[in-house]
Structure formats: structure tokens, C-alpha cells
């Protein structure tokens, strides 16, 4: 009996060692996440989310955070967050229509909560374990390169129309999507390519249209984001 218990303990010990989700830091991170973040964020499967559920979301999904964010960016952003979506998570109720065009009603925007650097590290470890949709990531093979900035800008704004929803410079561009001038430090390159290729496979209720771009067009856009992120 004693021997059996010992074997059991050894086996359990090995299992514990081998499963990353049970590491101490990420376990602390999970507790912090549950306490501080679940009022607004979800990390559960978003595949079958209904439009009304999507519209009730208070914050972007963190379901596939581990396939989306660069860990170093995530850790520092959680401690010192900066606004990513100029019009907030849902821009419609925060935009004033004026004679000069759409204006963001700054009074309706709140700053993101902050956590201590140590907590940011633990939460990051936990969030980086959330890696569904890896099959989509595996379809991409981005190596970052460069494009001519002027041509890249024309392509982004004029030909592909990305600038009507995204900023490619602080204060310039659309407000309904997240800014993209820090995209390269924030997001994994393969995620960027994949989201441009088929946004609806990541977020079935996304507002971003699938433009059915080919590999070369996607590569040019990713390289433009690389150039402006410097
Ligand atoms: C009061 C609601 C609220 C709480 C609580 C909250 N968040 Fe957020 N979070 C938001 C909103 C709104 C955004 C979108 C901000 C933006 O785009 O500028 C956001 C954005 C984010 C992003 C970027 C997501 C993306 O896809 O761009 C991350 C990562 C994040 N939050 C993590 C956390 C973590 C971790 C916690 C808990 C420590 C937390 N948030 C707590 C509302 C919240
Ligand atoms: C009609 C508006 C619209 C257009 C046009 C559009 N997007 Fe988006 N885009 C969005 C929205 C909305 C999201 C998702 C926002 C969210 O998760 O809150 C998004 C997300 C993204 C993301 C992921 C960023 C992140 O932080 O989550 C990338 C990369 C991106 N778009 C690139 C592009 C590129 C490149 C183009 C041009 C080919 C483009 N988008 C055109 C609205 C748009």
C-alpha cells in the first residue's frame, strides 16, 4: 500500500512538473485574472457567440491571447496600459457626429486598470497559455521585412482601405479598430497575417471585412506595419 502511494505521488509529481498550466506563477496569474479581469473580459470559446452576446461584451476577448500577443508587450502593457482602440471597445456609443466629421467623446472613455509589475508577470504567464486556434497560426510563415514607406502608406490607406478603421500614426486614421502603429511590438507576426487573411476565423462577429487578399498583399501590409512600428 505504502509503495502504491509512493508511486502515485511520483506520477502526480511528474504530471505537475510537466503541465505548464500548473506552474506557480501562472497559477497566481489565473487567480489574479479571475479576481480582477473577469468583470469585463472572457477567455472562453467565442466560436458560437451570438451577435447580442458580442454586443454586450465590455472588452475584447482574451480567448486566444497566447497566440495573439507578444509576451513582453503584454507584461509591460498590463502595468502601464495605453489606449489601443481610439473609440473604445465599442466606438458607436462614444462617437459624436459633428459638422467637422466624427469626434470621439473623450468623457465616455475610461483608462484601463493597472496592476503591479509582479502581478503583470504572473497574469501574462497565465494568458500566454491560452492558445486555441493554433491551426490558423500554423498556416502562416511571416518573416518581417520592409516596404517603401510612402508606397506602403498609399496601399494601406487608399488601395486596401485599412485606414478607414485603423490608425497608422497616432491621431491619424479610423477609430473603430485598434491602432496599428504599435502592432508589431504588440502582436505576433503570424497572428497579424492570419487576422488580415480571415478575421472571421478569429472573431466570428468581427467588424473587420475579409478582403480576400493574396499572400503577397498580406505580406506588403505586414511589412508596412513593421516599417511604421519603428
Ligand atoms: C472595467 C473593464 C475592464 C477590466 C476590469 C479589465 N479590462 Fe482589459 N480591457 C478593457 C477594455 C475596454 C479594453 C480595450 C481597451 C483599448 O482598446 O484601448 C481592454 C483591453 C485589454 C487588453 C488588450 C486586448 C486586445 O485584444 O487588444 C488586454 C490584454 C487586457 N485588457 C487585459 C486585461 C487584464 C489582464 C485585466 C485584469 C488584470 C483586465 N484587462 C481588466 C476593459 C477591462
Ligand atoms: C470596417 C473596418 C475595418 C477595416 C476596413 C479593416 N479593419 Fe482591421 N480590424 C477592425 C476591427 C473592428 C478589428 C478587431 C477589433 C477588436 O478585436 O476589438 C480589426 C482587427 C485588426 C487586426 C488585429 C489587431 C488587434 O490588435 O486585434 C489587424 C492586424 C488588422 N485589423 C489589420 C487590418 C488591415 C491590414 C486592414 C486593411 C486590409 C484592415 N484591418 C481593415 C476593423 C477594420
Amino acid at each position: 500500500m505504502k509503495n502504491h502511494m509512493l508511486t502515485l505521488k511520483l506520477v502526480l509529481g511528474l504530471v505537475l512538473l510537466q503541465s505548464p498550466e500548473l506552474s506557480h506563477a501562472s497559477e497566481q496569474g489565473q487567480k489574479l485574472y479571475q479576481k480582477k479581469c473577469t468583470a469585463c473580459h472572457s477567455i472562453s470559446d467565442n466560436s458560437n457567440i451570438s451577435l447580442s452576446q458580442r454586443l454586450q461584451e465590455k472588452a475584447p476577448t482574451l480567448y486566444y491571447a497566447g497566440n495573439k500577443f507578444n509576451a513582453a508587450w503584454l507584461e509591460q502593457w498590463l502595468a502601464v496600459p495605453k489606449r489601443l482602440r481610439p473609440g473604445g471597445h465599442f466606438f458607436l456609443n462614444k462617437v459624436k457626429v459633428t459638422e467637422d466629421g466624427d469626434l470621439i467623446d473623450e468623457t465616455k472613455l475610461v483608462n484601463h486598470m493597472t496592476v503591479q509589475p509582479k502581478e503583470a508577470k504572473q497574469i501574462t504567464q497565465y494568458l500566454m497559455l491560452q492558445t486555441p486556434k493554433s491551426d490558423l497560426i500554423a498556416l502562416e510563415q511571416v518573416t518581417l521585412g520592409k516596404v517603401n514607406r510612402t508606397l506602403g502608406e498609399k496601399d494601406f490607406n487608399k488601395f486596401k482601405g485599412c485606414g478607414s478603421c485603423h490608425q497608422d500614426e497616432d491621431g491619424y486614421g479610423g477609430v473603430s479598430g485598434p491602432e496599428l502603429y504599435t502592432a508589431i511590438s504588440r502582436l505576433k507576426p503570424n497572428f497579424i497575417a492570419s487576422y488580415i487573411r480571415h478575421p472571421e476565423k478569429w472573431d466570428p462577429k468581427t467588424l473587420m471585412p475579409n478582403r480576400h487578399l493574396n499572400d503577397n498583399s498580406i505580406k506588403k501590409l505586414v511589412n508596412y506595419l513593421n516599417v511604421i512600428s519603428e
Side-chain angles (χ1 to χ4, degrees):
M1 188 59 198
K2 232 181 170 180
N3 269 339
H4 277 126
M5 284 302 285
L6 190 64
T7 320
L8 191 65
K9 272 190 188 161
L10 276 172
V11 170
L12 272 176
L14 277 174
V15 171
L16 285 172
L17 273 177
Q18 278 169 1
S19 19
E21 59 267 359
L22 292 173
S23 87
H24 180 68
S26 54
E27 204 178 294
Q28 289 304 109
Q30 181 175 30
K31 282 190 192 137
L32 286 165
Y33 171 80
Q34 277 159 357
K35 195 167 126 204
K36 299 188 177 216
C37 321
T38 46
C40 301
H41 289 280
S42 154
I43 47 168
S44 49
D45 189 355
N46 67 348
S47 317
N48 297 315
I49 191 166
S50 71
L51 188 59
S52 70
Q53 280 171 317
R54 180 69 170 74
L55 291 172
Q56 277 163 27
E57 280 182 347
K58 296 199 181 96
T61 182
L62 298 176
Y63 176 43
Y64 40 79
N67 272 334
K68 174 170 181 173
F69 299 109
N70 289 320
W73 176 88
L74 187 55
E75 185 177 332
Q76 76 84 35
W77 187 87
L78 290 173
V80 189
K82 293 193 189 78
R83 185 161 299 146
L84 302 171
R85 291 162 188 76
H89 181 50
F90 282 116
F91 60 96
L92 285 175
N93 55 1
K94 302 185 189 78
V95 171
K96 283 190 290 203
V97 180
T98 74
E99 282 179 4
D100 300 328
D102 293 348
L103 280 185
I104 297 167
D105 187 352
E106 293 277 344
T107 58
K108 295 213 176 132
L109 291 174
V110 285
N111 290 327
H112 198 268
M113 69 172 298
T114 59
V115 295
Q116 295 302 314
K118 188 181 165 208
E119 297 174 318
K121 194 180 192 114
Q122 293 168 334
I123 295 172
T124 297
Q125 291 219 9
Y126 170 63
L127 288 179
M128 291 310 291
L129 298 172
Q130 314 305 317
T131 55
K133 305 191 196 252
S134 292
D135 51 324
L136 297 179
I137 293 291
L139 295 174
E140 308 293 337
Q141 285 145 9
V142 175
T143 42
L144 291 174
K146 301 259 157 91
V147 285
N148 173 287
R149 196 180 178 120
T150 314
L151 294 180
E153 187 186 340
K154 219 175 196 173
D155 183 46
F156 182 89
N157 287 305
K158 257 194 153 161
F159 301 141
K160 305 292 181 337
C162 316
S164 53
C165 299
H166 294 285
Q167 296 194 346
D168 59 348
E169 194 184 330
D170 196 354
Y172 294 93
V175 298
S176 55
E179 54 83 359
L180 293 180
Y181 49 88
T182 68
I184 294 291
S185 61
R186 180 167 87 244
L187 308 167
K188 294 199 150 101
N190 285 338
F191 171 83
I192 299 178
S194 182
Y195 203 96
I196 298 173
R197 191 184 302 281
H198 29 222
E200 74 289 348
K201 292 202 175 164
W202 289 94
D203 177 356
K205 296 289 182 291
T206 183
L207 293 170
M208 174 153 152
N210 183 332
R211 291 259 154 88
H212 303 283
L213 300 173
N214 63 26
D215 286 340
N216 197 39
S217 298
I218 294 174
K219 189 173 163 188
K220 268 202 273 185
L221 287 163
V222 175
N223 287 345
Y224 175 61
L225 298 182
N226 190 27
V227 167
I228 60 171
S229 288
E230 284 171 351

